[in-house]
Amino acid sequence: MQPEIDLKPLLDRKAEQYNQKWFIQNDPISVPHRFIKKEDIEISAFLTAILSWGQRPMIIKKAGLLMDMMDNTPYDFITGSSTNKFARFGKFVYRTFNGYDCQYFVSALREIYRNQGGLEHCFLTGYTNGSIKNSLVEFRKIFMSYHPLERTGKHLADVLQNSSAKRLNMFLRWMVRTDGIVDFGLWQKINQSDLMVPLDVHVGRTARRLGILTRKQNDWKAVEELSGTLRSFKPDDPVFYDYALFGIGIYDKK
């Protein structure tokens, strides 16, 4: 089978079907869509993406609770609050992400926005020659440089350990893609043609069933393989097809 010929019309149609405003309501991206200020969107999107494993209704509920704990002004709260106020995050828990992890993530974000130029600047640090992998590597170095507990590191993907980095790639899709339907397109210095597919169990299963992913593990090597194929379909916007693969896996169960 030649997927470029046989599958592109199907994937185009399915991506267009799910890349619609209605998609937002029941997806974790609905949480950052509550905000208008760039920094509020970035922070809420990053934390929501970090929590994005498991059932989507619970992800939305817990991410919304986290925003409530920031008085629904995440940028002002993180940059303007005293360390004492951060104690409230010690009670936060979602699956294996506990209060210690939450306190570290919020504290690291404060350092990043006060002293490192913000999330966008940190992701741009390693973004050389169009490499999203290098961007993720350098971002992780920065984010984990504030002496977290060892357990906290497992909540931020390490592509050097062959992680698929699904949640970080999804966050970058939210920030970078520019069609303005579901994704925000706030970060214009990262080219959407360089984005890598957010590979989760649904996307991987669908891609293998369609014959466009051969690797059995959902790891970084699989991300590279699948992203390369999707880039052959749509070189300027390969992760457009994330909507097709995820949508088929979630909504078109047969």
Side-chain angles (χ1 to χ4, degrees):
M1 178 174 67
Q2 298 182 29
E4 292 86 354
I5 297 173
D6 297 337
L7 287 179
K8 187 177 186 303
L10 169 67
L11 293 176
D12 283 334
R13 185 172 69 253
K14 286 295 182 181
E16 289 171 2
Q17 178 182 345
Y18 296 116
N19 184 30
Q20 299 292 333
K21 290 292 186 183
W22 64 262
F23 183 88
I24 295 171
Q25 182 177 358
N26 296 316
D27 190 78
I29 201 173
S30 63
V31 177
H33 267 286
R34 301 175 187 178
F35 300 100
I36 297 174
K37 183 190 293 187
K38 176 180 183 285
E39 293 82 2
D40 285 340
I41 294 170
E42 291 171 347
I43 292 168
S44 62
F46 177 75
L47 291 172
T48 300
I50 292 300
L51 298 178
S52 288
W53 82 103
Q55 296 296 315
R56 289 194 295 166
M58 187 56 68
I59 295 166
I60 295 168
K61 178 181 178 180
K62 286 293 186 175
L65 173 61
L66 197 49
M67 296 305 105
D68 290 342
M69 295 173 77
M70 296 179 186
D71 302 330
N72 288 298
T73 56
Y75 175 72
D76 289 344
F77 184 91
I78 281 176
T79 59
S81 297
S82 66
T83 301
N84 289 339
K85 282 194 174 182
F86 284 11
R88 67 181 64 179
F89 300 109
K91 298 180 180 179
F92 184 85
V93 61
Y94 175 60
R95 303 186 76 163
T96 61
F97 188 88
N98 69 14
Y100 294 108
D101 305 319
C102 191
Q103 286 177 316
Y104 179 81
F105 269 70
V106 173
S107 298
L109 286 170
R110 178 171 61 180
E111 292 299 317
I112 282 171
Y113 276 92
R114 283 183 173 180
N115 303 310
Q116 299 283 352
L119 279 169
E120 181 179 11
H121 183 267
C122 291
F123 275 94
L124 285 169
T125 300
Y127 180 63
T128 54
N129 300 317
S131 174
I132 294 298
K133 182 177 183 179
N134 286 346
S135 174
L136 297 179
V137 168
E138 293 305 314
F139 172 74
R140 191 178 195 280
K141 287 180 183 177
I142 295 169
F143 197 87
M144 302 306 292
S145 67
Y146 307 108
H147 311 296
L149 295 175
E150 184 176 352
R151 57 156 287 119
T152 300
K154 69 183 179 181
H155 294 293
L156 196 70
D158 186 354
V159 294
L160 293 180
Q161 297 297 318
N162 206 26
S163 169
S164 70
K166 174 257 181 175
R167 288 172 280 173
L168 291 178
N169 281 322
M170 183 177 70
F171 170 69
L172 287 176
R173 194 204 83 201
W174 292 354
M175 293 298 98
V176 173
R177 283 198 70 249
T178 59
D179 64 16
I181 299 174
V182 177
D183 301 310
F184 292 96
L186 292 175
W187 293 2
Q188 298 179 4
K189 293 182 180 179
I190 294 178
N191 196 324
Q192 69 179 12
S193 65
D194 295 324
L195 292 175
M196 306 296 279
V197 66
L199 179 60
D200 66 6
V201 63
H202 304 291
V203 170
R205 185 183 299 122
T206 302
R208 293 182 184 96
R209 180 159 59 88
L210 294 175
I212 55 176
L213 177 61
T214 60
R215 187 168 177 82
K216 291 180 169 43
Q217 298 90 344
N218 287 336
D219 56 14
W220 187 258
K221 291 180 180 178
V223 170
E224 291 181 327
E225 178 189 345
L226 181 56
S227 297
T229 299
L230 299 180
R231 196 164 282 113
S232 73
F233 296 156
K234 194 174 179 68
D236 64 326
D237 188 14
V239 300
F240 170 65
Y241 296 113
D242 182 40
Y243 288 101
L245 297 174
F246 180 80
I248 292 170
I250 290 290
Y251 295 106
D252 291 8
K253 293 177 181 178
K254 295 181 179 179

